[in-house]
Amino acid sequence: MSRLIILGIFYVVLAVYGFQAFKTLFRSPWMHWAYGFLFLGALLFLVIKIMTLQANDGFRGTVAVAGGIFAAFFLMALVLGFFLLLEDVIRLFVFGYNKIATWSSSETAHFPSRRKFISGLALGLASLPFGAMLYGMYRGKYNYQVLKYELEFDDLPDAFHNYQITQISDVHSGSFDDYDKVTYGVDLINKQESDVIFFTGDLVNNRSDELYPWKDVFSRLEAKDGVFSILGNHDYGDYTSWKTKEAKAQNLEELKMMQKEMGFDLMLNSNRYLEKGGQRIALLGVENWGRGGFKKAGDLQKAKEGIHKDDFKILLSHDPSHWEDVVLHDDYHFHLTLSGHTHGMQFGVEIPGWIKWSPVKWRYKYWAGIYKELDQFINVNRGFGFIGYPGRFGIWPEISVITLKKKGLT
């Protein structure tokens, strides 16, 4: 609660300070009242939703919407405040210079007034992230993108040349609020007609019952060689309260059972073989392993049991830090690892061939797309769903389609 109070005070200070730019541009009292009403309304909406939040509701639904609107206004005030502070420093410097220049004369130095150009520039720039966040909540969160990749390997079995994989990750079904849009996304996955579908963790936010309204939708996923899945950090129920340890364990068992009922082959530190034309490749799936305070239930050594060192290997591992810290330097060579987890922070700028940026890059070295290290590939899927901020902008929900190629046969 104390953090919320501090955040609210800081927000109000920023809003009042940013009002100086608004007042410089608009003289109408009605515009001034509108500014105050909107900024204060965003804060009150969030406070009311948090105060009426039930213990196990989680940050979703209208609470998440309130948080997203508040964040949009907060970011707008922050950008306004930055430019106004910069202008005030310059104004103070000019005033000081004029004061010294007129020290021995009868002239009086006046503090420079705000310039409309600076206020207009500040308000224009502040409106960009503000509008982006609102658009991300309204349209961006279901703006599914199919991203296609072709990866070549020297030792891919010939029968798997042109073998097509569809990967999705981070569904976070507890955050969904539009049945038709989610159904469209699942239909788009099936439309790729891939040989196999891989889901790389975080089916729910916290509790297995979040999946109930969406179970029939994801049961429609189909591929010739099946649908395989693993667990992500959110699937274990670690981020909500439970009356007993048994209740938490039962929740996880229910989630596992529902995946089975949906037709998912859930891999828990285990492996399978995919066969085609008398040849095969090894598929391994580990439980969540994340750097720092994240759960480390993933056991790569256990998942390797029964497969051969010279097999062509695909690994499903939710958190890309596992690939960086463990998989890359393992004595087995993992040709392709499929991960998710980062969501690309659901906010950023991507222009293919020009720029790929998100604040999440300061937390994860490998955060979106294909990377290659030590002759091993990883694809970090940007996620199918969303959590926390109920939207996406620039980093759209992703369906990865990867075609395996044998060098020499292309």
Side-chain angles (χ1 to χ4, degrees):
M1 180 59 69
S2 59
R3 292 182 179 179
L4 181 60
I5 293 173
I6 293 172
L7 181 63
I9 293 173
F10 185 45
Y11 172 81
V12 170
V13 170
L14 280 176
V16 171
Y17 190 47
F19 177 68
Q20 305 305 311
F22 198 82
K23 187 171 62 173
T24 301
L25 292 172
F26 302 100
R27 301 296 184 183
S28 171
W30 290 105
M31 296 294 289
H32 299 169
W33 280 106
Y35 177 96
F37 176 80
L38 290 173
F39 269 91
L40 185 59
L43 176 60
L44 290 177
F45 184 34
L46 178 62
V47 170
I48 291 171
K49 298 309 297 184
I50 290 178
M51 295 298 290
T52 57
L53 183 67
Q54 299 298 315
N56 291 321
D57 283 350
F59 195 78
R60 55 178 176 157
T62 56
V63 181
V65 171
I69 293 173
F70 173 81
F73 276 96
F74 187 90
L75 190 57
M76 182 180 187
L78 196 63
V79 175
L80 277 175
F82 171 79
F83 279 95
L84 292 183
L85 180 61
L86 186 62
E87 184 187 20
D88 282 345
V89 170
I90 296 174
R91 290 166 68 204
L92 185 61
F93 176 80
V94 171
F95 174 73
Y97 176 82
N98 291 338
K99 190 73 173 177
I100 294 173
T102 59
W103 190 269
S104 58
S105 69
S106 58
E107 296 182 19
T108 302
H110 297 283
F111 199 82
S113 60
R114 292 196 180 279
R115 290 179 292 174
K116 283 191 175 183
F117 170 75
I118 298 298
S119 294
L121 178 64
L123 193 60
L125 292 176
S127 67
L128 295 178
F130 175 79
M133 293 195 71
L134 294 183
Y135 176 85
M137 293 170 60
Y138 177 60
R139 295 291 296 272
K141 59 187 176 183
Y142 296 119
N143 184 24
Y144 300 110
Q145 303 291 306
V146 178
L147 301 185
K148 297 187 176 183
Y149 306 98
E150 292 184 354
L151 302 180
E152 289 189 336
F153 302 90
D154 290 315
D155 52 351
L156 178 71
D158 290 358
F160 285 88
H161 178 63
N162 286 328
Y163 191 78
Q164 185 170 291
I165 293 165
T166 288
Q167 179 202 359
I168 59 171
S169 191
D170 299 87
V171 163
H172 291 287
S173 55
S175 298
F176 289 144
D177 55 12
D178 192 317
Y179 188 89
D180 290 340
K181 294 289 180 60
V182 176
T183 299
Y184 164 76
V186 170
D187 289 343
L188 190 58
I189 295 169
N190 285 333
K191 189 177 180 180
Q192 306 312 308
E193 297 182 338
S194 290
D195 295 291
V196 68
I197 295 174
F198 296 137
F199 169 66
T200 48
D202 280 0
L203 192 54
V204 297
N205 294 345
N206 295 301
R207 307 172 69 89
S208 62
D209 57 15
E210 297 169 3
L211 183 58
Y212 291 162
W214 312 99
K215 183 180 174 183
D216 65 320
V217 179
F218 287 96
S219 295
R220 296 167 59 176
L221 288 174
E222 57 181 2
K224 178 171 59 69
D225 290 339
V227 180
F228 298 86
S229 64
I230 58 172
L231 297 175
N233 56 299
H234 280 267
D235 294 323
Y236 296 90
D238 289 341
Y239 308 124
T240 189
S241 59
W242 300 93
K243 291 182 179 179
T244 64
K245 291 182 179 180
E246 290 75 17
K248 180 180 180 182
Q250 180 61 31
N251 176 77
L252 181 57
E253 290 306 312
E254 288 178 0
L255 183 63
K256 293 177 181 178
M257 181 57 65
M258 280 195 285
Q259 292 206 39
K260 182 178 180 180
E261 292 169 352
M262 287 161 50
F264 288 19
D265 186 348
L266 179 61
M267 304 181 69
L268 303 169
N269 297 323
S270 59
N271 61 72
R272 312 278 190 273
Y273 276 103
L274 300 176
E275 298 186 0
K276 184 178 182 182
Q279 296 179 309
R280 63 183 189 174
I281 60 177
L283 173 64
L284 300 86
V286 295
E287 294 195 52
N288 189 78
W289 192 104
R291 182 187 299 151
F294 287 105
K295 182 179 285 292
K296 293 178 174 59
D299 188 336
L300 186 60
Q301 299 309 311
K302 183 178 179 181
K304 286 162 50 178
E305 292 176 1
I307 69 168
H308 302 292
K309 196 170 186 178
D310 58 351
D311 284 331
F312 186 93
K313 294 173 286 295
I314 297 176
L315 172 67
L316 310 183
S317 180
H318 178 69
D319 191 320
S321 67
H322 185 227
W323 185 70
E324 182 180 1
D325 293 354
V326 178
V327 177
L328 270 176
H329 309 288
D330 190 82
D331 59 342
Y332 276 39
H333 180 87
F334 292 90
H335 299 75
L336 174 61
T337 297
L338 302 176
S339 298
H341 181 63
T342 72
H343 298 208
M345 207 172 173
Q346 299 169 208
F347 191 91
V349 179
E350 286 197 82
I351 303 175
W354 289 85
I355 184 173
K356 185 174 77 173
W357 178 89
S358 168
V360 79
K361 68 176 294 184
W362 297 321
R363 173 66 175 84
Y364 291 96
K365 182 178 179 180
Y366 309 102
W367 59 274
I370 297 287
Y371 301 88
K372 185 178 182 181
E373 299 283 354
L374 302 177
D375 204 31
Q376 300 174 71
F377 289 97
I378 186 174
N379 181 54
V380 184
N381 184 280
R382 293 160 180 81
F384 186 85
F386 50 92
I387 190 173
Y389 165 55
R392 284 177 175 266
F393 185 84
I395 308 294
W396 312 115
E398 175 183 352
I399 299 166
S400 303
V401 178
I402 300 172
T403 303
L404 306 181
K405 298 281 188 177
K406 174 70 176 285
K407 287 185 178 178
L409 296 182
T410 55

